[in-house]
């Protein structure tokens, strides 16, 4: 085994307190109208800038002083020198006298310096990883101009303390620093002294480090540490130590012969959405501004449910109504929230959002056209059976439905997932008991019902919502269901689900496995070509027990990421390879995650997520780095569940805690794995990712505010009833 240096690090989470690199005024700006193309374009540019790597500019005399590199911002700048880093903050100071408190004074500039206590005075930062941007200063005469200055995405202080390097990196609204501790080196040598701050403090509940000044401040998220031992991450206790204004690190016992990694995650906001009845948030999506869009079901009437602005502000009857809500980017409020339903039972099961901020919802309804809010299409007439699937487009301001209609036949039909292509065609997947004589089959991929209780289906809805471009089945002669839908940049559709149909009738092609493996169900994955007429590949993922696939995501290369569900199959029959965990962990079932090669023939990786009891995953998303984000729930405590990083490393009690797992791009291990929950029953059902890699999680909980990690919003008060919906944002490094 090749030994690597131990890493000790932290994150300055500018998104959680006063901004260092993003203007302070921008954080309090009102909700933007994204309905116009120009506004949408601005939104995309803003998101791209925030996600862009941090640009360290080389100093060639354009600024005074011994500062080799700096980062220039509108409200703050960072200056990197041999003896420390200076934070130059600009803001309005609050009046110091009692009669003036709360009154904003003139704009001021305030300096805070983090000094390297006891460090090598000869150490200088060295820039690495050149960026595409160059900077020029045209000041004074041409002879004084400084042009073509290179920028870099990483700064490294080598041997800042004996055997210890310090590295800075990050994105435009987040600065990350990490200490690289070589084997045999004592990390207690690391000390940072803060000068010029009003206060330096630790938050008792979280362990975060806060630095405040009269014009604003910043916060370092709490560190965490782990080691990889026998292929699994083992957490090492870690915390900040504060003596006056000097900060160091405290570590628990660890194997000093192995690498040590310390990195932070932090919950940015967490809050309820609900009323006096039962409320569930099944799925969520995130726009380029960081606003979260959530859909689900509720039995709470408008007297207690936070309906405001939304497409329908009145509860419509039946067992439950569907609902849709938009959470503000800072998580403090709902920009809109309203019902989608009729006199029957209605459920919103999946949601997607386009670049204008319009939300697309699918689900199931038993409400006919006399009470369900049909408009435009794709079908304005209820087709019979227990349920019809529905698809609806909500206007960017949330006040109306731009289209809303049914997809179904005379049997039971449910829309389970939805995704969009670049032209805002909506792709709906689900399951149906309707045969081809009543189901609106068109083009493909299969126009004939396979048999059994249900077939899966996939349908492409036109941009204007008036009709279906294609619709067809996927299934064999037994029960088949679609539970995941994802669309790639070329308009090909990736589907996942579970089936009891053997290979003699299921449309297997290419892979990843062409043979049914046993048990009540096998999971499966398939790719449908752009025109919807054929399967590019279709195959099983499973073992000798019952296996279910639920979520699917696709990256830029066309690789599909499929999550359980559950599996009862141990490693002797389940197709484990690479990781993140190759051994079945016990209980009745584990959950799992797999990456399918772009041609569909093989699994790049496949492994378990689990502990000694039971786990079930519901959704997966993938970021630009190829990290898979999986959410679900577990009742395994931290003694067997392989927690690392967070956001919470301790099981909170109750029937289950929600979990967030982030799998390294290689698939070999977890970058993060932790709980979200309280003393009650907590289940994560949906996940989205923003351009920064932050995770947004939706679900249902009956944990009260004294144990659930509520902070910021959108509501900090439990609404009542059996469950409240919840939404949580986790900053991920």
């Amino acid at each position: 085994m090749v030994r690597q240096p131990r890493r000790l690090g932290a994150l300055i989470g500018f998104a959680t307190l006063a901004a260092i690199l993003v203007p302070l005024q921008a954080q309090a700006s009102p909700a933007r109208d994204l309905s116009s193309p120009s506004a949408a374009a601005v939104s995309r540019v803003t998101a791209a800038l925030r996600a862009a790597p941090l640009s360290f500019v080389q100093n060639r005399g354009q600024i005074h002083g011994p500062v080799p590199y700096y980062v220039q911002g509108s409200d703050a700048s960072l200056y990197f020198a041999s003896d420390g880093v200076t934070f130059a903050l600009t803001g309005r100071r609050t009046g110091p006298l009692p009669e003036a408190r709360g009154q904003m004074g003139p704009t001021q500039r305030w300096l805070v310096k983090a000094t390297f206590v006891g460090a090598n005075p000869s150490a200088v930062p060295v820039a690495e990883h050149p960026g595409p941007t160059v900077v020029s200063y045209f000041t004074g005469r041409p002879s004084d101009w400084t042009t073509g200055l290179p920028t870099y995405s990483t700064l490294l202080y080598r041997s800042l303390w004996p055997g210890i390097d310090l590295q800075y990196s990050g994105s435009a609204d987040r600065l990350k620093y990490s200490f690289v501790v070589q084997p045999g080196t004592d990390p207690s040598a690391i000390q940072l002294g803060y000068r010029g701050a009003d206060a330096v403090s630790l938050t008792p509940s979280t362990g975060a480090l806060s630095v405040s000044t009269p014009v604003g401040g910043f916060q370092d998220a709490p560190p965490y540490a782990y080691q990889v031992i026998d292929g699994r991450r083992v957490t090492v206790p870690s915390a900040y130590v504060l003596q006056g204004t000097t900060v160091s690190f405290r570590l628990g016992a660890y194997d000093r012969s192995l690498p040590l990694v310390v990195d932070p995650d932090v919950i940015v906001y967490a809050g309820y959405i609900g009323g006096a009845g039962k409320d569930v948030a099944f799925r969520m999506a995130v726009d380029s501004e960081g606003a979260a869009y959530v859909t689900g079901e509720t039995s709470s009437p408008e007297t207690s449910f936070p309906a405001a602005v939304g497409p329908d502000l009145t509860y419509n009857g039946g067992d439950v109504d569907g609902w849709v809500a938009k959470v503000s980017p800072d998580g403090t409020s709902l920009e809109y929230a309203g019902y989608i339903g009729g006199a029957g039972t209605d459920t919103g099961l999946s949601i997607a959002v386009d670049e204008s901020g319009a939300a697309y919802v699918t689900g199931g309804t038993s409400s006919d056209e006399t009470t369900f809010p049909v408009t435009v299409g794709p079908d304005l007439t209820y087709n019979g059976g227990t349920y019809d699937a529905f698809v609806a487009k909500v206007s960017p301001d949330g006040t109306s439905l731009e289209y809303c209609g049914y997809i179904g036949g005379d049997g039971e039909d449910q829309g389970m997932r939805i995704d969009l292509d670049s032209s805002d065609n909506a792709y709906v997947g689900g399951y149906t008991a309707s045969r081809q004589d009543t189901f609106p089959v068109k083009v493909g991929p299969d126009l004939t019902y396979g048999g059994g209780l249900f077939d899966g289906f996939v349908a492409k809805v036109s941009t204007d919502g008036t009709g279906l471009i294609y619709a067809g089945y996927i299934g064999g002669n037994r029960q088949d269901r679609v539970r995941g839908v994802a669309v790639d940049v070329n308009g090909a559709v990736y589907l996942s689900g579970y089936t009891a149909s053997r290979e003699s009738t299921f449309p297997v092609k290419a892979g990843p496995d062409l043979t049914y493996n046993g048990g009540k169900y096998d999971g499966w994955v398939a790719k449908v070509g752009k025109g919807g007429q054929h399967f590019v590949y279709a195959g099983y993922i499973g073992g000798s027990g019952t296996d279910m696939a639920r979520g699917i995501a696709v990256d830029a290369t066309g690789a599909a990421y499929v999550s359980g569900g559950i599996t009862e199959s141990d490693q002797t029959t389940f197709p484990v390879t690479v990781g993140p965990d190759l051994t079945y962990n016990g209980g009745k079932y584990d959950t799992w995650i797999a990456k399918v090669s772009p041609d569909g023939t093989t699994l790049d990786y496949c492994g378990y997520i689990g502990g000694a009891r039971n786990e079930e995953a519901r959704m997966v998303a993938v970021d630009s780095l190829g990290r898979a984000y999986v959410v679900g729930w577990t009742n395994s405590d931290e003694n067997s569940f392989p927690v690392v990083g967070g956001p919470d490393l301790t099981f909170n009690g109750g029937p289950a805690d929600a979990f967030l797992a982030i799998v390294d791009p290689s698939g070999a291990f977890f970058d993060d794995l932790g709980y979200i929950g309280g003393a009650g029953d907590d289940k994560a059902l949906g996940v989205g990712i923003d351009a920064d890699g932050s995770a947004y999680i939706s679900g249902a909980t009956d944990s009260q505010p004294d144990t659930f990690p509520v902070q910021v919003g959108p509501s900090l008060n439990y609404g009542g009833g059996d469950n409240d919906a919840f939404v949580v944002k986790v900053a991920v490094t």
Side-chain angles (χ1 to χ4, degrees):
M1 178 178 183
V2 178
R3 291 185 181 177
Q4 299 177 355
R6 300 194 294 271
R7 297 179 68 86
L8 185 66
L11 170 80
I12 297 178
F14 299 136
T16 59
L17 288 181
I20 295 296
L21 301 178
V22 178
L24 296 173
Q25 296 90 335
Q27 296 196 12
S29 62
R32 291 176 228 185
D33 178 10
L34 299 179
S35 59
S36 69
S38 59
V42 171
S43 170
R44 291 193 298 272
V45 171
T46 301
L49 288 173
R50 288 176 174 171
L54 206 62
S55 293
F56 298 93
V57 183
Q58 187 178 29
N59 180 19
R60 292 182 179 172
Q62 68 271 20
I63 63 173
H64 299 296
V67 179
Y69 294 92
Y70 63 96
V71 174
Q72 190 74 47
S74 59
D75 282 356
S77 298
L78 307 177
Y79 300 95
F80 298 85
S82 295
D83 60 344
V85 179
T86 298
F87 300 79
L89 311 180
T90 302
R92 296 184 182 276
R93 184 173 183 173
T94 302
L97 300 177
E99 61 271 17
R101 286 176 185 161
Q103 299 177 15
M104 304 305 292
T107 299
Q108 293 188 1
R109 185 173 174 85
W110 199 274
L111 302 182
V112 174
K113 186 167 187 177
T115 60
F116 307 141
V117 179
N120 176 10
S122 301
V124 294
V126 176
E128 298 182 331
H129 306 116
T133 304
V134 294
V135 176
S136 297
Y137 289 83
F138 303 100
T139 303
R141 297 180 178 181
S143 59
D144 297 325
W145 295 351
T146 308
T147 61
L149 298 173
T151 62
Y152 302 85
S153 61
T154 303
L155 281 186
L156 179 63
Y157 289 81
R158 297 186 184 278
S159 299
L160 187 56
W161 292 274
I164 300 173
D165 301 339
L166 170 59
Q167 178 178 286
Y168 284 96
S169 60
S171 60
D173 63 356
R174 191 172 294 170
L175 175 70
K176 179 181 179 181
Y177 63 94
S178 58
F179 297 95
V180 181
V181 183
Q182 305 295 336
T185 302
D186 185 0
S188 66
I190 301 169
Q191 295 188 65
L192 299 175
Y194 287 90
R195 300 193 328 226
D198 265 7
V200 181
S201 61
L202 295 178
T203 304
S205 60
T206 65
L209 176 73
S210 295
V211 178
S212 60
T213 79
V215 298
F218 53 89
Q219 184 180 79
D220 288 10
Y224 72 80
Y226 67 88
Q227 293 182 292
V228 179
I229 299 177
D230 296 330
R232 297 191 67 170
R233 289 194 175 190
V234 177
T235 301
V236 176
S238 61
Y240 295 116
V241 175
L242 181 61
Q243 294 181 319
T245 59
T246 299
V247 178
S248 58
F249 293 91
R250 180 176 63 248
L251 297 171
Y254 65 94
D255 186 345
R256 294 179 179 270
S257 69
L258 296 175
L260 175 71
V261 181
V262 180
D263 274 316
D265 278 354
V266 62
I267 291 179
V268 177
Y269 67 72
Y272 301 107
I273 303 175
K278 180 179 180 179
D279 313 283
V280 178
F282 284 111
R283 299 292 177 263
M284 71 158 22
V286 183
D287 71 14
S288 58
E289 291 290 294
Y293 299 71
V294 191
T295 191
E297 67 180 24
T298 180
S299 62
S300 299
E302 65 272 14
T303 54
S304 62
F305 192 77
V309 180
D312 185 352
L313 303 182
T314 305
Y315 188 81
N316 295 282
D319 292 334
V320 290
D321 259 14
W323 60 271
V324 60
K326 178 181 179 181
V327 183
S328 61
D330 63 6
T332 61
S333 62
L334 299 178
E335 297 192 4
Y336 65 74
Y339 301 103
I340 301 176
T345 297
D346 317 282
T347 299
L349 291 171
S350 187
I351 192 167
V353 61
D354 68 20
E355 290 186 346
S356 74
Y360 299 71
V361 179
T362 193
T365 178
S366 65
S367 302
D368 68 21
E369 66 273 13
T370 62
T371 62
F372 196 72
V374 291
T375 181
V376 179
D379 184 351
L380 303 181
T381 304
Y382 188 79
N383 294 280
T386 311
Y387 295 98
D388 263 12
F390 75 84
V391 59
K393 179 180 179 181
V394 183
S395 62
D397 62 6
T399 61
S400 63
L401 300 177
E402 297 188 3
Y403 66 73
C404 181
Y406 302 105
I407 302 173
D410 63 3
E412 179 180 343
D413 316 283
Q414 291 276 8
M416 300 301 298
R417 298 293 183 269
I418 193 168
D419 201 7
L420 305 174
D421 65 18
S422 58
S423 299
D424 295 337
N425 297 293
Y427 297 73
V428 177
Y431 60 87
T432 179
S434 301
R435 273 54 176 175
Q436 63 269 15
D437 56 342
T438 63
F439 194 77
V441 290
K442 180 180 182 180
V443 179
D446 185 348
L447 302 181
T448 304
Y449 190 84
L453 182 61
F454 295 108
D455 261 14
F457 78 83
V458 60
K460 179 179 179 180
V461 184
S462 62
T463 301
D464 61 8
T466 57
L468 302 179
I469 296 174
Y470 68 73
Y473 300 107
I474 177 168
N477 65 352
R478 299 188 181 184
Q479 183 174 175
D480 317 279
R481 301 190 188 214
V482 170
R483 300 305 298 264
V485 174
V487 183
D488 70 15
V489 293
N490 298 313
V493 183
Y494 300 72
L495 307 171
S496 63
Y498 54 90
T499 181
S501 300
R502 275 52 176 176
E503 65 271 13
S504 58
T505 61
F506 195 76
V508 291
K509 180 180 181 180
D513 183 352
L514 303 181
T515 305
Y516 190 86
N517 295 281
K520 185 177 180 180
Y521 300 110
D522 259 13
W524 60 264
V525 59
K527 178 181 178 181
V528 178
K530 180 179 179 180
Q533 296 177 318
H534 67 283
F535 294 109
V536 178
Y537 65 75
Y540 301 105
I541 303 175
S544 61
T546 294
D547 314 285
M548 295 182 177
R550 291 189 181 272
I552 192 167
V554 62
D555 67 19
T557 70
Y561 299 73
V562 183
S563 69
I566 63 168
T567 179
E568 297 175 350
S569 305
D570 68 19
Q571 65 273 12
T572 62
T573 62
F574 197 71
V576 291
T577 180
V578 180
D581 184 352
L582 302 180
T583 305
Y584 188 82
N585 293 283
K588 186 177 180 181
Y589 45 83
D590 270 6
T591 193
W592 53 275
I593 176 67
K595 179 181 179 181
V596 184
S597 62
D599 64 4
T601 60
T602 58
L603 300 179
D604 289 346
Y605 66 74
C606 181
Y608 299 105
I609 304 171
R613 300 183 70 185
N614 301 319
E615 286 76 32
E616 181 170 351
R618 282 303 180 100
M619 283 296 290
V620 61
V622 61
D623 69 12
S624 60
L625 301 176
R627 298 184 297 182
Y629 295 57
V630 184
V631 297
W633 64 86
T634 178
N635 50 30
S636 299
D637 67 22
E638 64 275 12
N639 293 314
S640 64
F641 197 63
V643 292
V644 54
D648 185 348
L649 302 180
T650 305
F651 185 76
N652 294 281
D657 263 12
F659 73 78
L660 167 65
I662 302 178
V663 181
D664 178 81
S666 70
F669 54 86
F670 298 109
D671 278 345
D672 295 284
L673 180 59
Y675 303 104
I676 300 169
D681 191 10
D682 315 285
K683 294 182 177 179
L685 303 172
V687 63
I689 309 172
D690 67 15
D692 294 330
S694 294
Y696 298 71
I697 302 160
S698 61
T701 180
D702 62 8
S703 296
Q704 305 300 304
D706 58 341
T707 62
F708 195 75
V710 290
Q711 54 180 291
V712 178
S715 174
L716 304 183
N717 298 312
Y718 188 84
D722 294 336
N723 291 304
D724 261 15
F726 71 78
V727 60
V728 172
K729 177 181 178 182
V730 180
V732 177
T733 61

